Amino acid sequence: VLGSRGLGDVYKRQEYYRLSIHLALLVGGLRIGEVCGLQLRDIDLDHRLLYVRHSVTQGPDDLGEYRLDETKTPESHRVVPIPAPVCRLIREHIDRFCPDRDPDTMLFHAIRHPERVLNPTTIQRQFRTARKRINREDVTFHSLRATHATMFMIQGGTLRETMDELGHVDVDVAVRCYPVSYTHLRAHETLRHL
């Protein structure tokens, strides 16, 4: 789980990819492939909703070119709220980097080839560079997802609500992937009953 100082440092190291951090951390705990798979049609800023409908993958055997594909599981299809401050950041990103307002336009695309989906390893590479600069080799992009789960539970989200927010169906997977979050939730629930 990241503290505010660590998040701020990672945030400062990104420019084009800055919004990806906010989406993983503050909007549904998006997976990196889900961030790369967002199209403008998936963002409803008027109602502050984000529709998770796709992921960027290399296909069933992880071979070939990256492409817009289905989400990891059918349950990963979800609608998550967008906090108001993140709406502003999304608007700024769209204004700056998505001049073509077609609904099929990718929110993140290959910089040199706007017609191509963004390869998730590009964001991972940028994230690795940022974490090296702040001397936090332990932090991964997936850490943002775990931090989102923890923050969601601390704010009162139940395990089931957190699983829905993250697109999980298996309780064992959720507990295994996010043990700190689950531990915080159990402690919080215990304190509520005292």
Side-chain angles (χ1 to χ4, degrees), residues 6-53:
L7 286 173
D9 290 341
V10 170
Y11 177 85
K12 290 175 189 172
R13 303 295 181 197
Q14 308 257 337
E15 181 57 38
Y16 177 72
Y17 308 102
R18 183 176 293 164
L19 181 60
S20 68
I21 293 171
H22 290 285
L23 295 173
L25 183 66
L26 301 171
V27 184
L30 299 183
R31 296 174 178 96
I32 195 164
E34 293 170 344
V35 168
C36 293
L38 289 172
Q39 296 175 295
L40 296 187
R41 76 172 70 250
D42 299 324
I43 302 162
D44 180 350
L45 294 176
D46 294 333
H47 296 100
R48 295 182 25 212
L49 296 172
L50 187 137
Y51 296 82
V52 181
R53 301 175 190 173

Side-chain angles (χ1 to χ4, degrees), residues 51-121:
Y51 296 82
V52 181
R53 301 175 190 173
H54 300 101
S55 187
V56 170
T57 71
Q58 288 182 291
D61 298 321
D62 278 339
L63 300 171
E65 274 190 44
Y66 281 94
R67 63 178 183 243
L68 194 61
D69 207 347
E70 293 297 317
T71 55
K72 186 175 179 181
T73 66
E75 293 78 14
S76 295
H77 281 251
R78 59 199 187 277
V79 181
V80 293
I82 305 171
V86 179
C87 284
R88 180 183 56 78
L89 297 174
I90 292 171
R91 264 189 191 55
E92 290 172 2
H93 179 92
I94 291 170
D95 288 346
R96 186 166 178 198
F97 299 112
C98 305
D100 176 6
R101 300 301 168 89
D102 185 89
D104 289 334
T105 297
M106 301 304 294
L107 183 63
F108 296 98
H109 50 78
I111 292 175
R112 291 190 181 127
H113 303 280
E115 71 284 356
R116 293 187 192 165
V117 298
L118 182 65
N119 179 331
T121 59

